[in-house]
Amino acid sequence: MDALSTQFGSPAPSASQPRSAFASSDFETFLKMLTVQMQNQDPMNPIDSADYAVQLATFSGVEQAVRTNQLLENLQSQFGLLGMAQLAGWVGQEARAAAPVYMDGRPVTLSPNPAAAANRAVLVVTDSQSRVVSRDDIPVSAEPYEWTGTSATGAALPVGIYNLSLESYYSDDLLTTTPVEHYAPILEARGGPGGTKLILRGGIEVLATDVTALRVP
């Protein structure tokens, strides 16, 4: 059998070939080895029929493994295409997520969520260097709020990306500080090993799983 293995052995796997190709190659090699073994057995000392049964059972198991691998690969590919097809309908809509905000002078719809016991809510705006550029009192409500992108002096902020957080107070006591969700148009959907990412205006990326709401602009 060692000589037969040398004659019909499969080449070493390479990174460029799929696993199913190796299983199929082993399957064909096994069949050739079994055939040659039957042709060259010693007539005076033939192989026991039980041994053939074991080898044929192994042969059948390898065949089933090859088919299973192929089916799994096909299903994985189909699920990936299905997911991207569904997300294609998201492009052009507005996604709500707790992500950085791109401000270019156009109002941005925020979805604040102050603490239940709060009687004061403060919107805190920081720039890309984590400097506070604005602190504004906003209504203590979960209703949408239009942020116009102004600084502490009331001047329009430069075009760029900002981070928003909400401080909830009861009298002078700070209760919580939480990120603020906002709506932004979806420009693109990208698949990847970490999951599907949505590209928002300004090049901001968010995972599809982090989106909490969609709306038509």
Side-chain angles (χ1 to χ4, degrees), residues 1 13-14 33 35 101 109 111 119 147 151 153 158 175-176 189 200 210-211:
M1 290 295 291
S14 66
M33 293 175 64
T35 303
V101 177
T109 302
S111 182
N119 58 12
W147 179 58
S151 67
T153 62
L175 302 178
T176 60
L200 309 180
D210 291 337
V211 173

Side-chain angles (χ1 to χ4, degrees), residues 95 97-103 108 110 126-128 147 160-164 179-184 200-206:
V101 177
Y102 178 72
M103 170 51 65
V108 176
L110 308 183
T126 58
D127 61 15
S128 58
W147 179 58
I161 295 175
Y162 298 88
N163 290 289
L164 308 182
V180 177
E181 294 184 341
H182 75 286
Y183 285 93
L200 309 180
R201 186 167 60 197
I204 295 170
E205 298 183 359
V206 297

Side-chain angles (χ1 to χ4, degrees), residues 110-126 132-141 163-181:
L110 308 183
S111 182
N113 188 25
N119 58 12
R120 182 184 174 213
V122 177
L123 179 67
V124 182
V125 183
T126 58
V132 176
V133 296
S134 177
R135 289 177 57 88
D136 296 317
D137 280 71
I138 65 172
V140 185
S141 170
N163 290 289
L164 308 182
S165 60
L166 187 71
E167 295 179 348
S168 296
Y169 290 88
Y170 180 75
S171 297
D172 294 329
D173 297 327
L174 177 63
L175 302 178
T176 60
T177 299
T178 55
V180 177
E181 294 184 341

Side-chain angles (χ1 to χ4, degrees), residues 16-126:
S16 61
Q17 291 179 284
R19 184 177 300 274
S20 60
F22 302 139
S24 179
S25 175
D26 292 341
F27 168 75
E28 294 175 359
T29 300
F30 180 85
L31 179 59
K32 291 178 182 178
M33 293 175 64
L34 182 61
T35 303
V36 173
Q37 181 184 9
M38 295 174 66
Q39 293 174 343
N40 294 277
Q41 63 178 322
D42 185 354
M44 304 301 295
N45 185 26
I47 298 175
D48 190 88
S49 59
D51 292 336
Y52 274 127
V54 171
Q55 294 186 43
L56 288 172
T58 304
F59 174 84
S60 178
V62 172
E63 181 183 17
Q64 292 299 321
V66 171
R67 293 179 179 176
T68 300
N69 287 340
Q70 291 172 341
L71 287 173
L72 290 175
E73 289 175 1
N74 291 337
L75 284 174
Q76 184 178 13
S77 176
Q78 291 173 6
F79 282 139
L81 292 175
L82 179 61
M84 290 303 293
Q86 291 176 334
L87 287 173
W90 291 23
V91 176
Q93 298 193 54
E94 290 185 339
R96 188 180 73 191
V101 177
Y102 178 72
M103 170 51 65
D104 59 358
R106 287 175 284 186
V108 176
T109 302
L110 308 183
S111 182
N113 188 25
N119 58 12
R120 182 184 174 213
V122 177
L123 179 67
V124 182
V125 183
T126 58

